[in-house]
Coordinates of all heavy atoms in Angstrom, one line a residue:
S1 N 44.8 19.2 -11.8 CA 44.3 18.1 -12.7 C 44.0 18.7 -14.1 O 42.9 18.5 -14.7 CB 43.0 17.5 -12.1 OG 43.2 17.0 -10.9
P2 N 45.0 19.4 -14.7 CA 44.7 20.1 -15.9 C 44.7 19.2 -17.2 O 45.2 18.2 -17.2 CB 45.9 21.0 -16.0 CG 47.0 20.3 -15.4 CD 46.4 19.5 -14.3
A3 N 43.9 19.7 -18.2 CA 43.9 19.2 -19.5 C 44.7 20.2 -20.4 O 44.1 21.1 -20.9 CB 42.5 19.0 -20.0
L4 N 46.0 20.1 -20.5 CA 46.8 21.1 -21.1 C 46.7 21.0 -22.7 O 46.8 22.0 -23.4 CB 48.2 21.0 -20.7 CG 48.5 21.4 -19.2 CD1 50.0 21.2 -18.8 CD2 48.1 22.8 -18.9
E5 N 46.6 19.8 -23.2 CA 46.5 19.6 -24.6 C 45.3 18.7 -24.9 O 45.2 17.6 -24.5 CB 47.8 18.9 -25.1 CG 49.1 19.7 -24.9 CD 49.1 20.9 -25.7 OE1 48.7 20.9 -26.9 OE2 49.6 22.0 -25.2
W6 N 44.4 19.3 -25.6 CA 43.1 18.6 -25.9 C 43.3 17.3 -26.7 O 42.6 16.3 -26.5 CB 42.2 19.5 -26.7 CG 41.5 20.5 -25.8 CD1 41.9 20.9 -24.6 CD2 40.5 21.4 -26.2 NE1 41.1 21.9 -24.1 CE2 40.2 22.2 -25.1 CE3 39.7 21.5 -27.3 CZ2 39.2 23.2 -25.1 CZ3 38.7 22.5 -27.4 CH2 38.5 23.3 -26.3
V7 N 44.3 17.3 -27.6 CA 44.4 16.1 -28.5 C 44.7 14.8 -27.6 O 44.4 13.7 -28.0 CB 45.6 16.3 -29.5 CG1 46.9 16.4 -28.8 CG2 45.6 15.3 -30.6
L8 N 45.3 15.0 -26.4 CA 45.6 13.9 -25.6 C 44.4 13.3 -24.9 O 44.4 12.2 -24.3 CB 46.6 14.3 -24.5 CG 48.0 14.8 -25.1 CD1 48.9 15.2 -24.0 CD2 48.6 13.7 -25.9
L9 N 43.2 14.0 -25.0 CA 42.0 13.5 -24.3 C 41.2 12.6 -25.3 O 40.2 12.0 -24.8 CB 41.2 14.7 -23.9 CG 41.8 15.7 -22.9 CD1 40.8 16.7 -22.5 CD2 42.3 14.9 -21.7
N10 N 41.5 12.6 -26.5 CA 40.7 11.9 -27.5 C 41.4 10.7 -28.1 O 42.4 10.8 -28.8 CB 40.4 12.9 -28.7 CG 39.6 14.1 -28.2 OD1 38.6 14.0 -27.5 ND2 40.1 15.3 -28.6
S11 N 41.0 9.5 -27.6 CA 41.7 8.3 -28.1 C 41.2 7.8 -29.4 O 40.0 7.9 -29.8 CB 41.4 7.2 -27.0 OG 40.1 6.9 -26.9
H12 N 42.1 7.4 -30.2 CA 41.8 6.7 -31.5 C 42.9 5.8 -31.9 O 44.0 5.7 -31.2 CB 41.5 7.7 -32.6 CG 42.6 8.7 -32.9 ND1 43.7 8.4 -33.6 CD2 42.8 10.0 -32.4 CE1 44.5 9.4 -33.7 NE2 44.0 10.4 -33.0
D13 N 42.7 5.0 -32.9 CA 43.7 3.9 -33.2 C 45.0 4.4 -33.8 O 46.0 3.7 -33.8 CB 43.1 3.0 -34.3 CG 42.0 2.1 -33.7 OD1 41.9 2.0 -32.4 OD2 41.2 1.5 -34.5
Y14 N 45.1 5.7 -34.2 CA 46.3 6.2 -34.9 C 47.2 7.1 -34.1 O 48.1 7.7 -34.7 CB 45.8 6.8 -36.2 CG 44.8 6.0 -36.9 CD1 43.4 6.3 -36.9 CD2 45.1 4.8 -37.5 CE1 42.5 5.5 -37.5 CE2 44.2 3.9 -38.1 CZ 42.9 4.3 -38.1 OH 41.9 3.5 -38.7
D15 N 46.9 7.2 -32.8 CA 47.8 8.0 -32.0 C 48.0 7.3 -30.7 O 47.0 6.9 -30.0 CB 47.2 9.4 -31.8 CG 48.1 10.3 -31.0 OD1 49.3 9.9 -30.8 OD2 47.7 11.5 -30.7
V16 N 49.2 7.1 -30.3 CA 49.5 6.2 -29.1 C 49.6 7.0 -27.8 O 49.6 6.3 -26.7 CB 50.8 5.4 -29.4 CG1 50.7 4.6 -30.6 CG2 52.0 6.3 -29.3
L17 N 49.8 8.3 -27.8 CA 50.1 9.0 -26.6 C 49.0 8.9 -25.6 O 49.3 8.8 -24.4 CB 50.4 10.5 -27.0 CG 51.7 10.7 -27.8 CD1 51.8 12.2 -28.1 CD2 52.9 10.3 -27.0
H18 N 47.8 9.0 -26.0 CA 46.7 8.9 -25.0 C 46.7 7.6 -24.3 O 46.6 7.5 -23.0 CB 45.3 9.0 -25.7 CG 44.2 8.7 -24.8 ND1 43.6 9.6 -23.9 CD2 43.5 7.5 -24.6 CE1 42.6 9.0 -23.3 NE2 42.5 7.8 -23.7
Y19 N 47.0 6.5 -25.0 CA 47.0 5.1 -24.3 C 48.2 5.0 -23.4 O 48.1 4.4 -22.3 CB 47.1 4.1 -25.4 CG 45.9 4.1 -26.3 CD1 45.9 4.6 -27.6 CD2 44.6 3.6 -25.8 CE1 44.8 4.7 -28.4 CE2 43.5 3.7 -26.6 CZ 43.6 4.2 -27.9 OH 42.5 4.2 -28.7
V20 N 49.4 5.6 -23.7 CA 50.5 5.6 -22.8 C 50.2 6.4 -21.6 O 50.5 5.9 -20.5 CB 51.8 6.2 -23.6 CG1 52.9 6.4 -22.6 CG2 52.2 5.3 -24.7
D21 N 49.6 7.5 -21.7 CA 49.3 8.4 -20.5 C 48.3 7.7 -19.6 O 48.5 7.7 -18.4 CB 48.8 9.7 -20.9 CG 49.9 10.6 -21.7 OD1 51.1 10.2 -21.5 OD2 49.5 11.5 -22.4
S22 N 47.2 7.2 -20.2 CA 46.1 6.7 -19.4 C 46.5 5.3 -18.8 O 46.0 4.9 -17.7 CB 44.9 6.6 -20.2 OG 45.0 5.7 -21.3
F23 N 47.4 4.6 -19.4 CA 47.9 3.3 -18.9 C 48.4 3.4 -17.5 O 48.1 2.5 -16.6 CB 49.0 2.7 -19.8 CG 49.6 1.4 -19.3 CD1 49.0 0.2 -19.5 CD2 50.8 1.5 -18.6 CE1 49.6 -1.0 -19.0 CE2 51.3 0.4 -18.0 CZ 50.7 -0.9 -18.2
C24 N 49.2 4.5 -17.2 CA 49.8 4.6 -15.9 C 48.8 4.7 -14.8 O 48.9 4.0 -13.8 CB 50.7 5.8 -15.9 SG 52.1 5.7 -17.1
S25 N 47.7 5.5 -15.0 CA 46.7 5.6 -14.0 C 45.9 4.4 -13.9 O 45.5 4.0 -12.8 CB 45.8 6.8 -14.3 OG 46.4 8.0 -14.2
M26 N 45.6 3.7 -15.0 CA 44.8 2.4 -14.9 C 45.6 1.4 -14.2 O 45.1 0.6 -13.4 CB 44.5 2.0 -16.3 CG 43.4 2.9 -17.0 SD 42.7 2.2 -18.6 CE 44.2 2.2 -19.6
A27 N 46.9 1.3 -14.4 CA 47.7 0.3 -13.8 C 47.8 0.5 -12.3 O 47.7 -0.4 -11.5 CB 49.1 0.3 -14.4
L28 N 47.9 1.8 -11.9 CA 47.8 2.1 -10.4 C 46.5 1.7 -9.8 O 46.4 1.3 -8.7 CB 48.1 3.6 -10.2 CG 49.5 4.1 -10.5 CD1 49.6 5.6 -10.4 CD2 50.5 3.4 -9.5
A29 N 45.4 2.0 -10.6 CA 44.1 1.6 -10.1 C 43.9 0.1 -9.9 O 43.3 -0.4 -9.0 CB 43.0 2.2 -11.1
A30 N 44.4 -0.6 -10.9 CA 44.4 -2.1 -10.8 C 45.1 -2.6 -9.6 O 44.6 -3.5 -8.9 CB 45.0 -2.7 -12.1
A31 N 46.2 -2.0 -9.3 CA 47.0 -2.4 -8.1 C 46.2 -2.0 -6.8 O 46.2 -2.8 -5.8 CB 48.4 -1.7 -8.1
F32 N 45.6 -0.8 -6.8 CA 44.8 -0.4 -5.7 C 43.7 -1.4 -5.3 O 43.4 -1.7 -4.2 CB 44.2 1.0 -5.9 CG 43.3 1.5 -4.8 CD1 43.9 2.3 -3.8 CD2 42.0 1.2 -4.8 CE1 43.1 2.7 -2.8 CE2 41.2 1.7 -3.8 CZ 41.7 2.5 -2.7
H33 N 43.0 -1.9 -6.4 CA 41.9 -2.8 -6.2 C 42.3 -4.3 -6.0 O 41.5 -5.2 -6.0 CB 40.9 -2.7 -7.3 CG 40.1 -1.4 -7.3 ND1 39.1 -1.2 -6.3 CD2 40.2 -0.3 -8.1 CE1 38.6 0.1 -6.6 NE2 39.2 0.6 -7.6
G34 N 43.7 -4.5 -6.0 CA 44.2 -5.9 -5.9 C 44.0 -6.7 -7.1 O 44.0 -8.0 -7.0

């Protein structure tokens, strides 16, 4: 469960990578909870 690049842990309006990465886990969680 590594945090290899810190910049990816800090969300803000001007960088999209964090939202792309976290979207995948959130979508799986939404499916898990029906």
Side-chain angles (χ1 to χ4, degrees):
S1 303
L4 293 176
E5 300 291 323
W6 285 10
V7 68
L8 300 176
L9 303 180
N10 301 309
S11 60
H12 56 82
D13 286 345
Y14 311 107
D15 188 3
V16 304
L17 292 176
H18 170 83
Y19 298 104
V20 171
D21 293 343
S22 60
F23 173 84
C24 297
S25 291
M26 291 191 294
L28 289 174
F32 178 89
H33 289 288

